[in-house]
Structure formats: structure tokens, C-alpha cells
Amino acid sequence: MGTTRSIVQGALESNLPAHATANIQPQHPLASPEPSNLRDSSHHQHKSQAFQPPPPTATSPSRLSPSSPNSNPSLLLRPPRLPLQSRMQPPPRPPLAPPRPLLAPPRPPLAAPQPRRPPPPDSPAPASWEAHSGHNCWQGYGAESDLEKPPGSAAPNAMMSLVSCKELCLTTRGCEGVVFAADMIHGCYRRAGISADLCQPSATYDLHILLPPSPPPATPPPPAPEPTPPQRPVPRPTPPPPMAVAIDQINERFQSGHPSNTLAEAGVLVHQFDGLEDWDNGRGYRPCHSGWCNGRYDHVSVSLINRQLPLVFNDNGGIVLSTATRFNCSFPHDGGTQSRSISSACGLRTAYPPNRLKECMQNQLVAHSREYNEFVVSAQYWDAHLPRVVEAIMFVRDASQAKKAHAAFVRRYGIRIPLVRYVPGMRFEDGESE
């Protein structure tokens, strides 16, 4: 192979002038593309032929001008050799494609439309009330029904404001109004079937009537129905006489009274005139406030009677007390408390506290059935709870003192209360005609 390269090189150099051959550089051994250790003759022959210049053709273009004195067709057909460093460099990379524009992030899918919520229902309109100051209604006197249990008593939660009293009425079925006394502890009374024109004047109580709700907005009237014959209005039942109703309530407690820790179930609480009333001021319905007894006694003695325990202190007149009256202690017999204070009297070993009323009554039925009992009521409490603490004025035989006390009470408070006659062991009767 070296011989062939020398021959080719010598042939080329022989045809070139001196200045042309001076530029021909010897080939570096590493520049040869063929390996030196190949022994295959055919491969050696192929590699030798690769270095022979192609034969000149008539159509080969000439890189030298025709007028050049050194033009040689064989030389013109041979491509120039590049330096080794240029041949070993990698081909240039194609220019980078311009960067693609960033795509906008995909939009989130639209949320499904939510169904519209219905508007909240309208809150009920506030209740409306009609005030009648200085009026009192109870069963038979402007009201068909007393909603308190038992009738004649106050609402269960006595310590309440007028607003609380009205709210209690709104939650009571059939309640049409309330009678309220702001200066009393037991001052809330629910009523039904109220006729304001039949209520009684009062200096202590105010009547508040619940008005019917306002009608809804007018709607187009339906087609007129066929005319029907007019119906006669049903007459409203005439309420029973007021005094009779109040007396019936007293008799009901007297007839059904029995040992119980609830005063309304035990019987009728009465005070009989004993000279310790406020007669000097013409008010026999209240404790003493003048004269020899003024300030000497801090309590009033009363008795509880029913059909089983009918005995009373004397035959004089007296006061029937409300079932809401609060007493300090009780005795199954005469407790001998007149010369004692409340704390001294109720501290006796024979005294029973209010929460042992049932036990006191049972003791009387067993050991003192032929005696009257004695209950202690604070005089200050009595004064503070007038007029509601008084339910009726009573007498046994002589009605003179009872009529004076009854007239003074009605004149002072403007409230009509029964004047009754007590038939011992039997009943209470209307005493207006006596």
C-alpha cells in the first residue's frame, strides 16, 4: 500500500510545476482512513483504489480558468484535503428551533349550577295586646274560665314580669288574656272567654287582652257560591252568677279537702276576727296597725278547715284566704302563739314546717280531731299581698263585723268578693241577703 501511494504521489508531482508541488504536504499516518494491519488482499486492493483520482471526463467542471498555464484535469478533479483538526470536529448542529410559546393552564371545569334555596319562612308576627288598666276579670266576672290550677290561684311561677306573664299566656291553650298586678308576688292570672265590659274595676289589677292575629293579605275572592238561607246566630251561653261561681270554688275545696302538702288540696284557710285587726282605721280585713295592738304581734293566727276538720276558733266573722297564701308553720291544735313571735312560735317542737302539712293534718285526725288547728301567717306578708290574699269575707252567725269588713274592702280596692256564711261542717252559703 505504501508503494501505491508513492507511485500516485510521484505521478502527481511529475505533472505539477515546482511551486505547486511545494504545497503538497506528506500525509500523517493517523490521517489514513484504512488500518495497517489488514491482511485481506481484496480489502487492501479496495483501499488502494480509493486514493486513485477519477479519470477525467469531458463534462467535469474546471476550477481553473482555461488560460491558466498550470491547468491539469487530473488535479482539478481531486478535492482538497482538509486539515486533520477540521476533519475530526463534529459537524455543526442545526440551529435550535425557536421555543414554543407556553400554553395557558387549562381552565377548571365550570361548577354545576346549584339549585336555589327557598327563602326562609316569614317569622310570625308579634302578638298584639289590648290593655285595660284598673280592671280585674275572673270566672263569672268577665271571664268564662280561670285557667289556673286550682281555679283562683296564681300562675305557677309567681315571680314574673308582665312580659313573662304574656309569654306564659301565649303558650297556654285557650288563653285569651291575663290579669296582672305589678306590686304583688302572685300577680299573673290567665283567663279564657274574656268580656271586657263585664270585668270589675280595680285599683290593683290591669287586664291585658290578646288580640287576634292580623289577617293575611287579601287574595282574589273565589266565585260567589250559591246563596244559602241565613242561619240564626247561636246565642252565647249566659255565664253563671259571679258570686255563685266563687262560692262553688270555696265549697269544692271544703268538701274534697284531705291531708296534703298542697294547700289548695288540703281545704279552706280562714282567719276569724280576734280583736287583732285594723278596726281603728275601719279596715277589718287587714292586721292591726294602730291602737294597743300596733306592733305587738308580727303574725296572724288562721285555721285550715274541711269536711273532716270543720272546727273554727269562734262564731265571729272572719276572712277566707287565697290558696296562694304562704304560711310559716302549723299546729294540729291551738299552738298558743299569741304572745310569741314567729320565730319563737315556729321553733316549738309541736310546730310543723310548711313541707310537713300533710303530716300535721294526719296527726290532727288521729289525736286532735275535736280541736281546731292553728296556722301562723306573717302580718307583713298579709299586708304586702293585699288585696289578692283575701278571697272572701265570712261569718258564722253574727254578720255585722263581716259586713263592715266586706264594705271597706270593696270600697278600698274596687273588687267585688263574696260575703259568705259558713255552716260548720256542712258548706259555705251566699251571705249577701243576711
Side-chain angles (χ1 to χ4, degrees):
M1 180 175 176
T3 304
T4 304
R5 181 181 301 178
S6 300
I7 294 172
V8 174
Q9 185 174 2
L12 291 176
E13 291 177 355
S14 62
N15 293 327
L16 292 177
H19 67 275
T21 58
N23 293 327
I24 298 176
Q25 298 292 331
Q27 291 289 329
H28 196 278
L30 296 177
S32 177
E34 69 276 7
S36 59
N37 57 351
L38 293 178
R39 297 181 180 181
D40 191 349
S41 59
S42 62
H43 183 73
H44 177 76
Q45 183 180 359
H46 174 73
K47 287 297 180 175
S48 300
Q49 293 175 0
F51 287 93
Q52 295 179 2
T57 59
T59 60
S60 300
S62 175
R63 299 185 60 177
L64 299 177
S65 62
S67 61
S68 175
N70 299 324
S71 60
N72 188 347
S74 62
L75 181 62
L76 294 177
L77 294 176
R78 182 180 180 182
R81 288 181 176 270
L82 296 176
L84 178 62
Q85 184 177 3
S86 299
R87 284 183 292 164
M88 296 183 65
Q89 290 181 351
R93 295 182 179 180
L96 297 176
R100 295 182 181 181
L102 296 177
L103 298 178
R107 294 182 180 180
L110 297 178
Q114 298 293 332
R116 278 190 171 185
R117 294 183 179 180
D122 296 336
S123 58
S128 300
W129 298 82
E130 182 180 89
H132 295 263
S133 300
H135 285 76
N136 185 15
C137 293
W138 64 92
Q139 188 168 347
Y141 283 81
E144 293 182 0
S145 177
D146 184 348
L147 299 181
E148 308 301 337
K149 300 297 182 182
S153 61
N157 185 8
M159 300 295 292
M160 63 174 61
S161 62
L162 176 59
V163 174
S164 300
C165 184
K166 289 180 178 180
E167 291 177 352
L168 183 62
C169 178
L170 293 175
T171 59
T172 303
R173 184 175 182 179
C175 182
E176 297 180 11
V178 297
V179 174
F180 185 81
D183 60 343
M184 296 174 57
I185 294 179
H186 305 282
C188 179
Y189 307 90
R190 294 165 289 180
R191 301 289 185 257
I194 298 176
S195 299
D197 54 341
L198 298 179
C199 296
Q200 301 298 315
S202 171
T204 305
Y205 294 92
D206 297 328
L207 172 65
H208 300 269
I209 299 177
L210 176 62
L211 299 178
S214 301
T219 55
E226 296 182 1
T228 56
Q231 297 181 354
R232 292 182 179 181
V234 179
R236 191 173 182 178
T238 304
M243 292 299 104
V245 174
I247 296 172
D248 286 345
Q249 293 176 357
I250 297 174
N251 275 318
E252 181 181 357
R253 300 204 308 270
F254 179 80
Q255 297 295 336
S256 62
H258 60 277
S260 171
N261 285 329
T262 303
L263 187 59
E265 299 175 359
V268 181
L269 200 61
V270 299
H271 164 73
Q272 291 186 271
F273 298 136
D274 55 4
L276 300 180
E277 296 78 32
D278 197 17
W279 293 110
D280 290 348
N281 294 319
R283 300 178 180 179
Y285 54 83
R286 60 181 290 181
C288 177
H289 280 270
S290 62
W292 68 273
C293 59
N294 182 27
R296 295 185 60 182
Y297 304 100
D298 62 354
H299 68 276
V300 180
S301 295
V302 300
S303 294
L304 179 69
I305 60 174
N306 56 36
R307 192 172 183 85
Q308 301 178 66
L309 303 171
L311 299 181
V312 291
F313 175 63
N314 56 35
D315 293 340
N316 298 332
I319 312 294
V320 178
L321 301 180
S322 166
T323 56
T325 302
R326 186 178 64 192
F327 63 94
N328 297 84
C329 61
S330 60
F331 298 85
H333 47 72
D334 189 327
T337 64
Q338 184 173 359
S339 60
R340 295 177 179 271
S341 64
I342 294 178
S343 58
S344 174
C346 294
L348 297 173
R349 63 179 184 84
T350 55
Y352 287 81
N355 59 353
R356 294 176 59 192
L357 172 60
K358 180 178 180 180
E359 186 179 347
C360 178
M361 296 180 67
Q362 291 172 339
N363 189 346
Q364 183 180 1
L365 287 172
V366 173
H368 306 279
S369 60
R370 296 189 178 184
E371 302 179 50
Y372 59 86
N373 54 46
E374 182 177 356
F375 284 56
V376 175
V377 176
S378 168
Q380 183 179 4
Y381 171 87
W382 187 309
D383 285 333
H385 292 80
L386 281 170
R388 190 60 186 177
V389 72
V390 178
E391 184 175 2
I393 307 296
M394 60 164 285
F395 64 91
V396 181
R397 290 186 177 87
D398 184 5
S400 56
Q401 280 187 308
K403 288 184 175 182
K404 290 179 182 179
H406 183 267
F409 184 90
V410 175
R411 184 170 55 253
R412 172 67 177 83
Y413 297 107
I415 302 174
R416 292 185 58 191
I417 58 175
L419 176 63
V420 296
R421 174 176 177 265
Y422 172 54
V423 181
M426 299 294 292
R427 60 187 176 276
F428 289 85
E429 299 175 347
D430 186 1
E432 293 282 355
S433 60
E434 295 291 335

